[in-house]
mmCIF file of all heavy atoms in Angstrom:
data_model
loop_
_atom_site.group_PDB
_atom_site.id
_atom_site.type_symbol
_atom_site.label_atom_id
_atom_site.label_comp_id
_atom_site.label_asym_id
_atom_site.label_seq_id
_atom_site.Cartn_x
_atom_site.Cartn_y
_atom_site.Cartn_z
ATOM 1 N N ILE K 1120 7.080 -41.284 16.571
ATOM 2 C CA ILE K 1120 7.536 -42.077 15.413
ATOM 3 C C ILE K 1120 7.903 -41.076 14.325
ATOM 4 O O ILE K 1120 7.131 -40.154 14.010
ATOM 5 C CB ILE K 1120 6.408 -42.995 14.909
ATOM 6 C CG1 ILE K 1120 6.024 -44.024 15.980
ATOM 7 C CG2 ILE K 1120 6.859 -43.727 13.615
ATOM 8 C CD1 ILE K 1120 4.764 -44.827 15.679
ATOM 9 N N PRO K 1156 2.228 -39.632 18.471
ATOM 10 C CA PRO K 1156 2.657 -38.615 17.497
ATOM 11 C C PRO K 1156 3.522 -39.177 16.378
ATOM 12 O O PRO K 1156 4.397 -40.017 16.633
ATOM 13 C CB PRO K 1156 3.425 -37.607 18.340
ATOM 14 C CG PRO K 1156 2.971 -37.826 19.739
ATOM 15 C CD PRO K 1156 2.660 -39.287 19.828
ATOM 16 N N VAL K 1157 3.262 -38.725 15.163
ATOM 17 C CA VAL K 1157 4.018 -39.141 13.996
ATOM 18 C C VAL K 1157 4.522 -37.896 13.266
ATOM 19 O O VAL K 1157 3.739 -36.988 13.013
ATOM 20 C CB VAL K 1157 3.168 -39.999 13.030
ATOM 21 C CG1 VAL K 1157 3.959 -40.397 11.782
ATOM 22 C CG2 VAL K 1157 2.625 -41.247 13.755
ATOM 23 N N LEU K 1158 5.819 -37.879 12.944
ATOM 24 C CA LEU K 1158 6.406 -36.769 12.182
ATOM 25 C C LEU K 1158 6.917 -37.332 10.865
ATOM 26 O O LEU K 1158 7.767 -38.214 10.855
ATOM 27 C CB LEU K 1158 7.551 -36.148 12.982
ATOM 28 C CG LEU K 1158 8.459 -35.136 12.260
ATOM 29 C CD1 LEU K 1158 7.673 -33.899 11.854
ATOM 30 C CD2 LEU K 1158 9.632 -34.733 13.163
ATOM 31 N N GLY K 1159 6.429 -36.794 9.742
ATOM 32 C CA GLY K 1159 6.891 -37.207 8.413
ATOM 33 C C GLY K 1159 7.642 -36.081 7.759
ATOM 34 O O GLY K 1159 7.099 -34.961 7.641
ATOM 35 N N ILE K 1160 8.884 -36.328 7.385
ATOM 36 C CA ILE K 1160 9.715 -35.285 6.787
ATOM 37 C C ILE K 1160 10.028 -35.672 5.340
ATOM 38 O O ILE K 1160 10.525 -36.771 5.083
ATOM 39 C CB ILE K 1160 11.038 -35.084 7.570
ATOM 40 C CG1 ILE K 1160 10.756 -34.777 9.041
ATOM 41 C CG2 ILE K 1160 11.858 -33.997 6.920
ATOM 42 C CD1 ILE K 1160 12.002 -34.795 9.924
ATOM 43 N N GLY K 1163 9.065 -38.787 3.986
ATOM 44 C CA GLY K 1163 8.206 -39.238 5.084
ATOM 45 C C GLY K 1163 6.849 -38.560 5.030
ATOM 46 O O GLY K 1163 5.817 -39.168 5.374
ATOM 47 N N PHE K 1164 6.810 -37.298 4.611
ATOM 48 C CA PHE K 1164 5.544 -36.542 4.419
ATOM 49 C C PHE K 1164 4.744 -37.239 3.312
ATOM 50 O O PHE K 1164 3.537 -37.502 3.433
ATOM 51 C CB PHE K 1164 5.885 -35.106 4.074
ATOM 52 C CG PHE K 1164 4.717 -34.159 3.972
ATOM 53 C CD1 PHE K 1164 3.445 -34.477 4.456
ATOM 54 C CD2 PHE K 1164 4.884 -32.898 3.413
ATOM 55 C CE1 PHE K 1164 2.382 -33.560 4.377
ATOM 56 C CE2 PHE K 1164 3.823 -31.997 3.310
ATOM 57 C CZ PHE K 1164 2.588 -32.333 3.777
ATOM 58 N N VAL K 1167 3.342 -40.579 4.702
ATOM 59 C CA VAL K 1167 2.184 -40.479 5.585
ATOM 60 C C VAL K 1167 0.927 -39.975 4.877
ATOM 61 O O VAL K 1167 -0.171 -40.375 5.233
ATOM 62 C CB VAL K 1167 2.461 -39.689 6.906
ATOM 63 C CG1 VAL K 1167 3.462 -40.384 7.786
ATOM 64 C CG2 VAL K 1167 2.902 -38.275 6.654
ATOM 65 N N LEU K 1172 -2.718 -40.774 6.585
ATOM 66 C CA LEU K 1172 -2.633 -40.147 7.928
ATOM 67 C C LEU K 1172 -2.726 -38.636 7.863
ATOM 68 O O LEU K 1172 -2.988 -37.988 8.870
ATOM 69 C CB LEU K 1172 -1.329 -40.554 8.635
ATOM 70 C CG LEU K 1172 -1.195 -42.042 8.976
ATOM 71 C CD1 LEU K 1172 0.179 -42.338 9.549
ATOM 72 C CD2 LEU K 1172 -2.276 -42.441 9.964
ATOM 73 N N LEU K 1173 -2.493 -38.087 6.665
ATOM 74 C CA LEU K 1173 -2.631 -36.642 6.477
ATOM 75 C C LEU K 1173 -3.392 -36.394 5.178
ATOM 76 O O LEU K 1173 -3.264 -37.168 4.237
ATOM 77 C CB LEU K 1173 -1.232 -35.983 6.393
ATOM 78 C CG LEU K 1173 -0.425 -35.847 7.667
ATOM 79 C CD1 LEU K 1173 0.982 -35.331 7.346
ATOM 80 C CD2 LEU K 1173 -1.111 -34.956 8.679
ATOM 81 N N SER K 1199 0.948 -26.581 19.027
ATOM 82 C CA SER K 1199 1.037 -28.008 18.659
ATOM 83 C C SER K 1199 2.248 -28.625 19.334
ATOM 84 O O SER K 1199 3.152 -27.916 19.787
ATOM 85 C CB SER K 1199 1.166 -28.175 17.135
ATOM 86 O OG SER K 1199 2.515 -27.949 16.733
ATOM 87 N N PHE K 1201 4.509 -30.045 17.903
ATOM 88 C CA PHE K 1201 5.668 -29.897 17.022
ATOM 89 C C PHE K 1201 6.206 -28.479 16.943
ATOM 90 O O PHE K 1201 7.307 -28.271 16.478
ATOM 91 C CB PHE K 1201 5.292 -30.349 15.604
ATOM 92 C CG PHE K 1201 4.698 -31.747 15.534
ATOM 93 C CD1 PHE K 1201 3.339 -31.962 15.649
ATOM 94 C CD2 PHE K 1201 5.541 -32.829 15.337
ATOM 95 C CE1 PHE K 1201 2.798 -33.235 15.585
ATOM 96 C CE2 PHE K 1201 5.009 -34.112 15.243
ATOM 97 C CZ PHE K 1201 3.639 -34.320 15.371
ATOM 98 N N THR K 1202 5.392 -27.491 17.345
ATOM 99 C CA THR K 1202 5.775 -26.097 17.087
ATOM 100 C C THR K 1202 5.696 -25.188 18.329
ATOM 101 O O THR K 1202 5.785 -23.983 18.199
ATOM 102 C CB THR K 1202 4.880 -25.496 15.983
ATOM 103 O OG1 THR K 1202 3.490 -25.613 16.390
ATOM 104 C CG2 THR K 1202 5.052 -26.210 14.662
ATOM 105 N N GLN K 1237 -4.979 -26.380 10.690
ATOM 106 C CA GLN K 1237 -4.124 -27.554 10.432
ATOM 107 C C GLN K 1237 -2.939 -27.257 9.505
ATOM 108 O O GLN K 1237 -2.226 -28.167 9.122
ATOM 109 C CB GLN K 1237 -4.961 -28.668 9.807
ATOM 110 C CG GLN K 1237 -5.894 -29.365 10.797
ATOM 111 C CD GLN K 1237 -6.766 -30.413 10.132
ATOM 112 O OE1 GLN K 1237 -7.972 -30.234 10.038
ATOM 113 N NE2 GLN K 1237 -6.150 -31.457 9.592
ATOM 114 N N ALA K 1239 0.699 -26.090 9.265
ATOM 115 C CA ALA K 1239 1.796 -25.919 10.195
ATOM 116 C C ALA K 1239 2.783 -24.859 9.724
ATOM 117 O O ALA K 1239 3.189 -23.967 10.461
ATOM 118 C CB ALA K 1239 2.514 -27.254 10.397
ATOM 119 N N PHE K 1240 3.196 -24.962 8.466
ATOM 120 C CA PHE K 1240 4.191 -24.036 7.880
ATOM 121 C C PHE K 1240 3.766 -23.665 6.452
ATOM 122 O O PHE K 1240 3.201 -24.474 5.741
ATOM 123 C CB PHE K 1240 5.564 -24.708 7.771
ATOM 124 C CG PHE K 1240 6.161 -25.132 9.080
ATOM 125 C CD1 PHE K 1240 6.058 -26.439 9.520
ATOM 126 C CD2 PHE K 1240 6.837 -24.224 9.884
ATOM 127 C CE1 PHE K 1240 6.601 -26.852 10.735
ATOM 128 C CE2 PHE K 1240 7.398 -24.622 11.095
ATOM 129 C CZ PHE K 1240 7.272 -25.940 11.531
ATOM 130 N N GLY K 1264 3.777 -27.565 5.268
ATOM 131 C CA GLY K 1264 3.562 -28.614 6.260
ATOM 132 C C GLY K 1264 2.164 -28.552 6.826
ATOM 133 O O GLY K 1264 1.605 -27.463 6.957
ATOM 134 N N VAL K 1265 1.598 -29.714 7.116
ATOM 135 C CA VAL K 1265 0.223 -29.771 7.656
ATOM 136 C C VAL K 1265 0.125 -30.756 8.824
ATOM 137 O O VAL K 1265 0.960 -31.616 9.006
ATOM 138 C CB VAL K 1265 -0.810 -30.227 6.575
ATOM 139 C CG1 VAL K 1265 -0.904 -29.198 5.443
ATOM 140 C CG2 VAL K 1265 -0.503 -31.591 5.985
ATOM 141 N N PHE K 1266 -0.936 -30.564 9.594
ATOM 142 C CA PHE K 1266 -1.281 -31.469 10.700
ATOM 143 C C PHE K 1266 -2.515 -32.284 10.308
ATOM 144 O O PHE K 1266 -3.303 -31.865 9.458
ATOM 145 C CB PHE K 1266 -1.702 -30.686 11.941
ATOM 146 C CG PHE K 1266 -0.698 -29.755 12.499
ATOM 147 C CD1 PHE K 1266 -0.857 -28.378 12.376
ATOM 148 C CD2 PHE K 1266 0.422 -30.214 13.198
ATOM 149 C CE1 PHE K 1266 0.043 -27.480 12.907
ATOM 150 C CE2 PHE K 1266 1.342 -29.319 13.734
ATOM 151 C CZ PHE K 1266 1.148 -27.964 13.592
ATOM 152 N N ASN K 1267 -2.701 -33.392 11.038
ATOM 153 C CA ASN K 1267 -3.993 -34.084 10.946
ATOM 154 C C ASN K 1267 -4.954 -33.335 11.873
ATOM 155 O O ASN K 1267 -4.584 -32.344 12.519
ATOM 156 C CB ASN K 1267 -3.852 -35.567 11.346
ATOM 157 C CG ASN K 1267 -3.455 -35.764 12.803
ATOM 158 O OD1 ASN K 1267 -2.988 -34.821 13.454
ATOM 159 N ND2 ASN K 1267 -3.651 -36.957 13.301
ATOM 160 N N LYS K 1270 -3.866 -32.894 15.398
ATOM 161 C CA LYS K 1270 -2.513 -32.319 15.455
ATOM 162 C C LYS K 1270 -1.509 -33.250 16.132
ATOM 163 O O LYS K 1270 -0.560 -32.807 16.801
ATOM 164 C CB LYS K 1270 -2.548 -30.968 16.195
ATOM 165 C CG LYS K 1270 -3.191 -29.860 15.388
ATOM 166 C CD LYS K 1270 -2.848 -28.532 16.057
ATOM 167 C CE LYS K 1270 -3.505 -27.358 15.372
ATOM 168 N NZ LYS K 1270 -3.244 -26.118 16.147
ATOM 169 N N THR K 1271 -1.721 -34.547 15.983
ATOM 170 C CA THR K 1271 -0.749 -35.514 16.512
ATOM 171 C C THR K 1271 0.113 -36.072 15.384
ATOM 172 O O THR K 1271 1.098 -36.752 15.652
ATOM 173 C CB THR K 1271 -1.465 -36.669 17.230
ATOM 174 O OG1 THR K 1271 -2.495 -37.169 16.362
ATOM 175 C CG2 THR K 1271 -2.070 -36.232 18.539
ATOM 176 N N VAL K 1272 -0.268 -35.802 14.138
ATOM 177 C CA VAL K 1272 0.555 -36.192 13.000
ATOM 178 C C VAL K 1272 0.903 -34.894 12.267
ATOM 179 O O VAL K 1272 0.037 -34.061 12.024
ATOM 180 C CB VAL K 1272 -0.205 -37.136 12.045
ATOM 181 C CG1 VAL K 1272 0.686 -37.480 10.838
ATOM 182 C CG2 VAL K 1272 -0.656 -38.401 12.782
ATOM 183 N N MET K 1273 2.203 -34.722 11.954
ATOM 184 C CA MET K 1273 2.589 -33.580 11.149
ATOM 185 C C MET K 1273 3.513 -34.045 10.030
ATOM 186 O O MET K 1273 4.371 -34.899 10.233
ATOM 187 C CB MET K 1273 3.312 -32.513 11.969
ATOM 188 C CG MET K 1273 3.628 -31.264 11.126
ATOM 189 S SD MET K 1273 4.463 -29.951 12.063
ATOM 190 C CE MET K 1273 6.151 -30.472 11.956
ATOM 191 N N GLY K 1274 3.327 -33.498 8.843
ATOM 192 C CA GLY K 1274 4.211 -33.770 7.729
ATOM 193 C C GLY K 1274 4.715 -32.439 7.173
ATOM 194 O O GLY K 1274 3.964 -31.458 7.153
ATOM 195 N N LEU K 1275 5.964 -32.410 6.741
ATOM 196 C CA LEU K 1275 6.483 -31.218 6.092
ATOM 197 C C LEU K 1275 7.572 -31.607 5.083
ATOM 198 O O LEU K 1275 8.237 -32.622 5.267
ATOM 199 C CB LEU K 1275 7.022 -30.191 7.100
ATOM 200 C CG LEU K 1275 8.392 -30.382 7.771
ATOM 201 C CD1 LEU K 1275 8.759 -29.125 8.527
ATOM 202 C CD2 LEU K 1275 8.418 -31.568 8.717
ATOM 203 N N PRO K 1279 13.974 -29.875 8.870
ATOM 204 C CA PRO K 1279 14.387 -29.227 10.110
ATOM 205 C C PRO K 1279 15.624 -29.931 10.707
ATOM 206 O O PRO K 1279 16.447 -29.297 11.375
ATOM 207 C CB PRO K 1279 13.169 -29.335 11.025
ATOM 208 C CG PRO K 1279 12.384 -30.454 10.481
ATOM 209 C CD PRO K 1279 12.611 -30.453 9.008
ATOM 210 N N LEU K 1295 11.919 -27.315 16.558
ATOM 211 C CA LEU K 1295 10.892 -28.321 16.293
ATOM 212 C C LEU K 1295 11.115 -29.554 17.158
ATOM 213 O O LEU K 1295 10.178 -30.060 17.769
ATOM 214 C CB LEU K 1295 10.904 -28.686 14.801
ATOM 215 C CG LEU K 1295 9.720 -29.498 14.278
ATOM 216 C CD1 LEU K 1295 9.468 -29.163 12.817
ATOM 217 C CD2 LEU K 1295 9.941 -30.992 14.425
ATOM 218 N N LEU K 1299 9.002 -31.022 20.601
ATOM 219 C CA LEU K 1299 8.563 -32.403 20.856
ATOM 220 C C LEU K 1299 9.045 -32.870 22.221
ATOM 221 O O LEU K 1299 8.294 -33.511 22.961
ATOM 222 C CB LEU K 1299 9.094 -33.312 19.738
ATOM 223 C CG LEU K 1299 8.367 -33.148 18.407
ATOM 224 C CD1 LEU K 1299 9.166 -33.739 17.252
ATOM 225 C CD2 LEU K 1299 6.984 -33.807 18.472
#
Side-chain angles (χ1 to χ4, degrees):
Chain K
I1120 298 169
V1157 178
L1158 170 64
I1160 303 171
F1164 185 14
V1167 294
L1172 294 175
L1173 287 174
S1199 81
F1201 305 90
T1202 57
Q1237 287 176 247
F1240 298 98
V1265 295
F1266 301 108
N1267 66 343
K1270 288 195 184 173
T1271 49
V1272 179
M1273 184 179 84
L1275 78 170
L1295 192 150
L1299 287 163

